[in-house]
Amino acid sequence: MIQDDLLGAGSDYLEALFDRFRSNPRSVPKAWALFFEREFGRDGDTARMHRDMLRRMVIHPGVLRESNKPASFFIEYPSRALYLIQGYRMHGHLHADLDPLKLNPVRPGPELELGFYGLGPDDLDAEFPVGDLAGGGRRKLREIVDILRRTYCGHIGPEFMHITDSVRRHWLQQRLEDICSTPRYDEDTKRQIFRNILHAEEFERFLHTRYAGQKRFSLEGGESLIAMLDILIQRAGGCGVRELILGMAHRGRLNVLANILGKSLSDIFAEFEGEELEETAHGQGDVKYHLGFSADVETSGGAVHVSLGFNPSHLEIITPVALGSVRARQCRRRDSERKEVVPVLIHGDAAFAGQGVVAESLNLSKLGGFRVGGTIHLVVNNQIGFTVNPFDARSTLYATDIAKMVQAPILHVNGDDPEACCLATEIALEYRERFHDDVVIDLICYRRRGHNEADTPEVTQPVMYRKIAEHPTVVAIYRDRLLAEQVLKPGEHEAMVRRYRECMDDVRRNRRASPSPSNSLQGRWRAFAGPAVEPETAVEAGLLADLCERVHTMPNGFELHPKVARIFERRMAMMRGEQPVDWGCAEIMAYATLVHEGGWVRITGQDTGRGTFFHRHAAVYDQKTGRKFIPLRQVENGPMSHFLVVDSMLSELAVMAYEYGYSVAEPRALVIWEAQYGDFANNGQVVIDQFIASGESKWNRMSGLVLWLPHGYEGQGAEHSSARLERFLQLCAEDNMQVVYPTTPAQLFHLLRRQLRINIRKPLILMGPKSMLRQKGSFSQLRDFTDGRFMSVLDEPHGMDNPRRLLLCSGKVYYDLVAERQRRQLRDVAIVRIERLYPFPSEALTEVIGRYDGVRDIVWVQEEPLNQGAWLFVEHKIEACLGRGQRLGCVGRPEAAAPAVGLARRHLKEQMELVDRALTGAGEE
C-alpha cells in the first residue's frame, strides 16, 4: 500500500519533471538536471526512467516538491524489509495459488521481487526490523519472506489494504500472519470436513445417475461450500448466534438443502419424480431448486435456526430480501448489537459482478434503518457465467471488486483446499462478529458440468472443459492428503461412500412423507392463517384528540420550522373537530393509534420522513441544531410497540426488496414502502412480479407489505402521473393482493389500520394522493374516524333522485367530475367511487348499482389512456354487476404509448374534454 500511496502522485510529478528536462535542462532544478543527465541522458525514455526509479527508490510526493536532492529518496538499507512486507500485504493475493484449473497463471510483477527494494540473495541471512510482522523485532530476511509467502501467496489470497480503518487492517494482518494463513485443524475436524465434501459429491452423483438429464444446477467443482457452511454454523452457534439467514440462487441449492439444512431426501427425490408435496399444493408451486427451507441445527452453543430463503431465477434479488428478513428478526429479538441474527449470502461470480442490485444492497450496509451488523458474502466463483468468460462478464480484475465500495475485506481462496476454505470462513465470521461489517469470501472453483445438466459447455469453453475433465475432484484431492497424513485409513473412504449411497438408495425405494413440512405456516404466522375477520378500525374521539396532541408536541426547547408548526396546530384542531381532517393528519393518526395499541410500524422510501409533497412530517428537525425528532415515538406502548420512518437511499429495487423481506419475516409489523412518484416503482418490477404478486402462490409465503404509490394526472408529464395501475391489476389473481385507490382521508385511516389489525396478510397496493392532499373537497369529518370502516364502494353521499346517467370511477378524477357537475349545476348525473379494485367488490357494487335501476347508461371514467388504467381489468367485472337493460361504456384518454402528455396546457385541455364527455355523453354512439 505504501508503494502505491507514495508512487501515485510522485511518479506523475517525476515524469513531468523528466519531460521538462528533456525539452530544456535549465527548466528543472540543477540537482535534478545533473541526476537525469547522469542516469538517463536527454534522449532517455520516460518509461525506462520510471521503471528504473521504481526499482531503485521510493518516491514521496511531498519530499519531491520540497527538496532538490534525489539522493534523499533512496530507501535506507534497514528499512527495505518493511517496504517488502507492505508489498506482500498489498500485492500478495495477485501471486497466490487460487485457481484450481490454473486457467489464468499469474504474470509476475516486480512488487514481490527482492530487487525491487534493493535486496538480493546475499541479504537473505541479514536481519531486518519487521515492524508489526509476527510479533515484531528483527528477523532474517529468508524468514520474513517465508512468513509472507505462506501468509499471502498460498491457497488464501487476502485483499484488505484498501480498508482505510487501520484497526481493521491491523486485526486482519495479525490474524493471518500469526498463523501464516495455514489451517491447524485436529483430526476430528478434518474428518468432518471430509465427510461434508464427500456427501456433497455423492449427493450430486446420485442425482446425476438416478435422474439423468433433469436440471439441478449441481455444485460439482465447488463441494467445499458444504464444509464451509457447516463450520460457519457450528462456529456461529458457539459465539451466541441464534439465527442464520441464508440467501442464494439455484446453483448448489439442493445440496445445501440436503446436507446443511437436513431437508428430507425423500421429499427431494419426490420433487425429481414429479410428485407434488402436500405443503406445496396450495397454489402454483415452484421448481425444486427455488424452494426454501428452515431447520434448527445443533451446535456447541445450542441450536441455531437456519433459514434458506425462497428465491426466483432472478440472480441476486434474494440479497436485499434476505437482509430485510434479518433486520426484522433482529428487531423482534431486540438484538441492538446485531449479534444474534447473521445474514449469509451465497453469490455467483458473474452475478455478483454484473447485477446492479448487489451494489445497491452493499450500499445499504451502513445506513440507519437498514444496517444488519455485517453480512458474510460467499461468492461461489466457478469462473464462468452460463457461457460467458470472466473477461466478458466484468471490467474488474476480480468478481468481488464491487465489495471494495464498502471497504469489505476479501479473502480469495482455492476451492480445491477445503481446509483453507474453512479457515477463510472462520476468519470471516470473526471479522463480522468483531467489527459488525461486511466481509467477502471468494471461493475460486469451477463448474464440472454445464450451466444445467443438459448443457454442453465444451461448445463455448473447450479449453476449460478439457482441463476439468482431467482434473481430480475436490474429494479425491483431499482424500489423498488425509491418507498421506494418516487421518484416513486405507479403504475408509470407500466404506463412507458405500454407506451414503446405500442410505440414498434406501430412501428412494421406501419414500415416505416428512412428518412436519417446514414450509407451512408456523410460529407467529399461525395467527394469520385466516379466514379473514374484519377488524374494528374506528377510534373514540377523546383518544384521537389526546394522541394527536401527544404526537404533535415537541420537547422543551425544540424549534419547529414555522410552516410545520402551523401544520401541527391545524392537525390538533382537526382532531378536536374544529376543522375537516386532511390526508396528512389522517395518516399520522392511523400510525399513532396503531402504535398506541402496541403496534409495530415501519415506513421507508425517498423523502419519506417529510413526505415528497410536504404533507407527512413524521420526522421533524430543530431549526437551531438540526436535531431530528420522530414525534410518533412518544406514544409507543408495550414491548412490540415501535415506529420507524426512514429516508432511504436513492434506490427502488433494493429498498423495496428489503421491505418485502422484512414483511415476510415479521407479520406483526405494518411495513410500508413509498415511492416518490408511483411510476418509480417500475425500477423494482422484479420484486413486484417475483415476490409480492406471486410469493404466496409459489411458496406459501405471505406478506403484508404496503406499496404506497402516488398516482394521478395533474399535468406533470409521463414520469410523474401514473403508478401503472394496469400492471398491478394484471397481476391480480388467486386473492393474492389488494389494489386500492382511496378518495378520502378517513378511507386511508381505516385502510391502514385494517392492514395491521386484520388476521390475514396480503400485500396492499395503494394508489396514493398527490393533488388530493390539498383538495379541501376530499377532506373528512371527525365522525368518519370515530365510526365506520373502510368501504370498498362509495355511493353518492346525499343520494340522487332520478339520475339519467351513472358514472363509476376511482381516485382523483372523482373530484374533477364533482367540481364540473357542481359548476354546471347538473342534478341528473350520479357518481359512484370504486375504492378497492381488487379483490373486486362485486357484491357491494351490485347493491349500489341496484339503487339506480332506472339508469340505462353506466359509464366507467378514468384519467388514464384506455389501454392503461383499470378499464381492461374492470370492464367484465362491472358488466356482471349491471341490471337488466343497463349498458356499460367507458370514457378515458385515447390509447397511448406513454402514460401522459408533457405539456400542462395540453393536459388541461384533455382533462376538460374527458370530464365533459363523462358528464354529457358527448361523442358516444
Side-chain angles (χ1 to χ4, degrees):
M1 183 175 185
I2 286 177
Q3 285 285 36
D4 279 7
D5 286 346
L6 296 179
L7 292 172
S11 61
D12 291 342
Y13 174 82
L14 190 61
E15 289 175 13
L17 198 68
F18 185 60
D19 287 340
R20 284 165 50 198
F21 163 78
R22 292 172 62 196
S23 299
N24 179 7
R26 294 183 179 181
S27 66
V28 302
K30 186 175 181 180
W32 277 111
L34 291 172
F35 176 75
F36 286 144
E37 183 66 43
R38 182 181 71 247
E39 299 293 331
F40 308 109
R42 288 188 64 181
D43 297 328
D45 177 66
T46 302
R48 185 179 73 80
M49 180 278 299
H50 187 249
R51 286 195 302 271
D52 189 69
M53 294 294 282
L54 282 175
R55 190 177 301 114
R56 298 195 302 165
M57 60 184 67
V58 174
I59 304 164
H60 193 293
V63 174
L64 281 173
R65 286 160 177 76
E66 296 169 7
S67 173
N68 291 330
K69 297 180 180 179
S72 68
F73 310 139
F74 286 91
I75 307 172
E76 294 182 10
Y77 183 75
S79 302
R80 293 177 185 179
L82 296 176
Y83 290 108
L84 176 67
I85 291 167
Q86 288 299 98
Y88 268 90
R89 289 168 174 169
M90 172 67 89
H91 302 290
H93 61 91
L94 297 171
H95 299 253
D97 180 11
L98 299 175
D99 181 5
L101 301 178
K102 306 296 187 289
L103 286 170
N104 300 295
V106 173
R107 295 187 178 89
E111 299 89 2
L112 305 190
E113 294 176 4
L114 294 178
F116 190 76
Y117 304 97
L119 299 168
D122 294 342
D123 301 299
L124 288 173
D125 290 319
E127 290 190 347
F128 291 86
V130 297
D132 56 2
L133 176 72
R138 299 175 67 87
R139 286 180 180 264
K140 289 182 178 181
L141 182 60
R142 69 172 68 253
E143 294 178 36
I144 296 171
V145 172
D146 179 63
I147 292 170
L148 293 172
R149 291 203 65 80
R150 287 191 291 135
T151 300
Y152 295 106
C153 301
H155 283 168
I156 297 178
E159 192 177 8
F160 58 86
M161 295 300 284
H162 55 278
I163 300 174
T164 57
D165 184 347
S166 60
V167 174
R168 301 181 188 211
R169 272 201 328 274
H170 291 156
W171 183 89
L172 286 161
Q173 287 170 196
Q174 184 176 8
R175 180 68 176 87
L176 293 159
E177 291 168 1
D178 282 354
I179 60 171
C180 295
S181 298
T182 303
R184 297 171 183 171
Y185 292 123
D186 58 29
E187 288 193 6
D188 287 342
T189 303
K190 290 181 178 183
R191 293 174 69 86
Q192 178 63 18
I193 291 172
F194 182 70
R195 188 178 300 110
N196 279 319
I197 63 172
L198 182 142
H199 286 180
E201 179 178 281
E202 290 303 320
F203 176 77
E204 298 291 359
R205 284 182 173 175
F206 183 88
L207 295 181
H208 191 70
T209 303
R210 298 295 188 271
Y211 304 106
Q214 286 203 46
K215 287 184 182 180
R216 68 179 192 278
F217 299 99
S218 85
L219 189 59
E220 291 166 282
E223 290 90 346
S224 291
L225 174 67
I226 300 302
M228 296 167 78
L229 291 176
D230 178 64
I231 207 163
L232 173 61
I233 295 168
Q234 293 301 319
R235 297 294 188 268
C239 59
V241 174
R242 301 276 66 89
E243 293 188 70
L244 196 146
I245 309 304
L246 287 173
M248 69 182 297
H250 42 277
R251 173 97 30 224
R253 175 179 284 257
L254 294 176
N255 214 311
V256 171
L257 286 169
N259 289 311
I260 295 297
L261 283 93
K263 181 176 179 178
S264 163
L265 292 174
S266 179
D267 288 351
I268 294 174
F269 298 158
E271 291 162 354
F272 271 94
E273 297 182 16
E275 297 179 13
E276 189 167 46
L277 303 178
E278 181 180 351
E279 63 192 88
T280 61
H282 66 280
Q284 299 293 304
D286 204 350
V287 293
K288 51 191 171 291
Y289 40 81
H290 288 171
L291 301 180
F293 197 79
S294 297
D296 290 333
V297 179
E298 289 299 326
T299 74
S300 61
V304 175
H305 184 74
V306 183
S307 180
L308 173 63
F310 294 78
N311 189 61
S313 281
H314 296 66
L315 301 174
E316 296 299 339
I317 192 59
I318 191 61
T319 296
V321 173
L323 295 176
S325 175
V326 168
R327 176 78 180 204
R329 295 164 192 262
Q330 290 172 340
C331 292
R332 181 173 67 242
R333 288 177 171 271
R334 299 190 177 279
D335 179 17
S336 58
E337 294 185 352
R338 317 218 178 276
K339 290 184 175 181
E340 297 183 20
V341 188
V342 174
V344 178
L345 295 171
I346 303 172
H347 312 270
D349 52 318
F352 195 70
Q355 292 285 303
V357 72
V358 173
E360 291 189 24
S361 300
L362 287 168
N363 202 25
L364 290 172
S365 65
K366 300 177 189 295
L367 301 181
F370 299 98
R371 63 173 63 97
V372 294
T375 299
I376 298 172
H377 299 272
L378 210 164
V379 179
V380 180
N381 186 348
N382 51 39
Q383 308 185 71
I384 189 171
F386 203 151
T387 66
V388 178
N389 291 306
F391 51 79
D392 290 322
R394 62 179 186 265
S395 297
T396 56
L397 176 62
Y398 292 116
T400 52
D401 282 349
I402 186 67
K404 293 178 183 177
M405 67 180 281
V406 293
Q407 300 195 29
I410 301 165
L411 302 174
H412 308 282
V413 61
N414 189 319
D416 269 0
D417 186 345
E419 289 187 25
C421 293
C422 290
L423 175 60
T425 304
E426 290 185 328
I427 294 172
L429 177 63
E430 292 169 20
Y431 182 89
R432 190 269 175 195
E433 291 302 286
R434 185 179 184 89
F435 297 108
H436 309 294
D437 216 342
D438 285 30
V439 58
V440 178
I441 304 171
D442 183 15
L443 172 61
I444 301 175
C445 52
Y446 57 92
R447 190 187 69 196
R448 188 162 287 276
R449 305 191 185 278
H451 176 70
N452 61 65
E453 287 61 42
D455 198 13
T456 309
E458 297 84 356
V459 171
T460 50
Q461 276 77 31
V463 175
M464 171 185 272
Y465 276 87
R466 276 198 301 273
K467 286 200 171 191
I468 290 174
E470 298 166 358
H471 191 72
T473 67
V474 179
V475 170
I477 293 170
Y478 194 49
R479 175 201 62 205
D480 293 346
R481 176 175 165 182
L482 295 188
L483 285 169
E485 295 175 2
Q486 297 185 342
V487 174
L488 286 180
K489 298 182 177 66
E492 189 174 0
H493 159 252
E494 291 78 6
M496 295 170 70
V497 169
R498 185 170 58 254
R499 286 195 299 271
Y500 192 55
R501 288 179 180 175
E502 288 173 354
C503 171
M504 289 189 288
D505 271 323
D506 178 65
V507 170
R508 182 169 180 257
R509 284 193 303 267
N510 305 293
R511 282 202 317 276
R512 49 191 175 274
S514 300
S516 57
S518 68
N519 291 346
S520 58
L521 296 175
Q522 297 183 4
R524 69 195 63 82
W525 276 100
R526 290 186 188 277
F528 301 94
V533 177
E534 285 295 327
E536 178 61 51
T537 57
V539 178
E540 189 267 330
L543 180 58
L544 286 172
D546 175 62
L547 291 176
C548 186
E549 184 171 349
R550 289 168 62 186
V551 300
H552 292 96
T553 299
M554 299 300 106
N556 289 335
F558 192 97
E559 185 175 319
L560 278 174
H561 190 281
K563 288 186 177 180
V564 179
R566 287 194 292 273
I567 290 172
F568 280 17
E569 289 169 4
R570 287 198 298 269
R571 286 180 181 175
M572 288 187 278
M574 291 172 189
M575 284 295 106
R576 292 194 297 267
E578 298 169 6
Q579 298 179 21
V581 182
D582 68 13
W583 292 82
C585 181
E587 180 191 352
I588 292 298
M589 292 313 301
Y591 303 147
T593 55
L594 290 171
V595 172
H596 174 72
E597 292 164 0
W600 181 348
V601 178
R602 173 185 170 91
I603 176 169
T604 67
Q606 298 154 22
D607 312 301
T608 294
R610 191 204 74 172
T612 301
F613 308 104
F614 205 79
H615 69 287
R616 181 173 292 122
H617 304 290
V620 293
Y621 297 85
D622 190 311
Q623 294 302 294
K624 290 182 178 178
T625 66
R627 180 166 67 98
K628 181 179 178 180
F629 181 64
I630 300 178
L632 280 157
R633 288 187 176 165
Q634 297 179 118
V635 295
E636 291 177 349
N637 181 24
M640 297 300 295
S641 178
H642 183 60
F643 180 83
L644 181 67
V645 59
V646 182
D647 290 338
S648 76
M649 67 179 190
L650 196 64
S651 159
E652 288 80 29
L653 177 59
V655 178
M656 186 194 296
Y658 189 102
E659 301 309 320
Y660 172 83
Y662 196 108
S663 71
V664 170
E666 186 45 76
R668 296 169 296 181
L670 175 62
V671 184
I672 302 171
W673 177 81
E674 181 187 45
Q676 263 191 344
Y677 290 88
D679 56 333
F680 292 179
N682 59 18
N683 277 322
Q685 197 65 46
V686 61
V687 185
I688 296 165
D689 292 345
Q690 267 43 58
F691 290 97
I692 295 172
S694 58
E696 183 178 356
S697 180
K698 291 189 296 186
W699 309 317
N700 198 22
R701 286 300 180 264
M702 295 190 296
S703 165
L705 178 64
V706 179
L707 297 188
W708 185 306
L709 310 176
H711 176 84
Y713 282 56
E714 292 121 353
Q716 297 297 310
E719 274 70 60
H720 294 90
S721 298
S722 174
R724 294 292 189 171
L725 172 61
E726 65 279 355
R727 293 182 180 172
F728 291 99
L729 293 174
Q730 185 188 43
L731 294 170
C732 290
E734 300 182 81
D735 194 27
N736 61 334
M737 58 185 180
Q738 311 157 82
V739 180
V740 179
Y741 195 176
T743 56
T744 72
Q747 283 280 84
L748 176 65
F749 173 86
H750 290 296
L751 181 66
L752 292 173
R753 286 181 49 76
R754 177 185 184 274
Q755 184 70 3
L756 184 59
R757 290 175 60 85
I758 199 168
N759 65 328
I760 61 169
R761 289 291 175 263
K762 300 285 183 180
L764 172 61
I765 313 303
L766 171 62
M767 299 289 115
K770 293 189 296 175
S771 62
M772 276 196 294
L773 292 168
R774 292 167 178 81
Q775 168 61 259
K776 293 185 178 180
S778 73
F779 294 175
S780 302
Q781 299 301 314
L782 181 60
R783 61 177 177 273
D784 300 326
F785 296 79
T786 61
D787 190 20
R789 59 183 53 175
F790 175 77
M791 304 293 291
S792 58
V793 178
L794 291 179
D795 196 0
E796 281 284 353
H798 307 295
M800 180 168 289
D801 296 329
N802 302 317
R804 63 171 177 82
R805 192 171 178 81
L806 174 60
L807 306 183
L808 307 177
C809 65
S810 280
K812 168 197 157 285
V813 73
Y814 168 77
Y815 293 103
D816 295 334
L817 293 168
V818 168
E820 185 62 16
R821 182 180 67 176
Q822 184 174 349
R823 190 186 73 82
R824 299 186 185 190
Q825 298 185 347
L826 300 176
R827 292 179 174 79
D828 57 356
V829 179
I831 307 174
V832 170
R833 289 163 278 176
I834 301 179
E835 302 277 287
R836 189 184 71 204
L837 293 162
Y838 189 84
F840 192 78
S842 298
E843 185 176 335
L845 184 60
T846 299
E847 179 184 344
V848 170
I849 291 177
R851 300 169 191 163
Y852 301 93
D853 54 356
V855 177
R856 180 168 175 261
D857 294 325
I858 316 291
V859 181
W860 172 258
V861 184
Q862 65 178 41
E863 298 180 292
E864 302 88 351
L866 292 176
N867 61 320
Q868 300 171 36
W871 168 241
L872 297 177
F873 179 81
V874 301
E875 178 183 6
H876 298 299
K877 292 176 169 54
I878 295 174
E879 285 179 341
C881 300
L882 300 183
R884 181 175 297 177
Q886 293 179 322
R887 65 181 185 182
L888 179 64
C890 178
V891 170
R893 283 177 165 81
E895 292 186 358
V901 298
L903 294 176
R905 182 177 296 179
R906 184 175 170 187
H907 159 77
L908 290 173
K909 182 175 180 294
E910 286 185 352
Q911 194 78 355
M912 291 173 61
E913 292 173 351
L914 183 149
V915 170
D916 179 69
R917 286 189 291 120
L919 292 172
T920 65
E924 293 181 7
E925 295 182 1

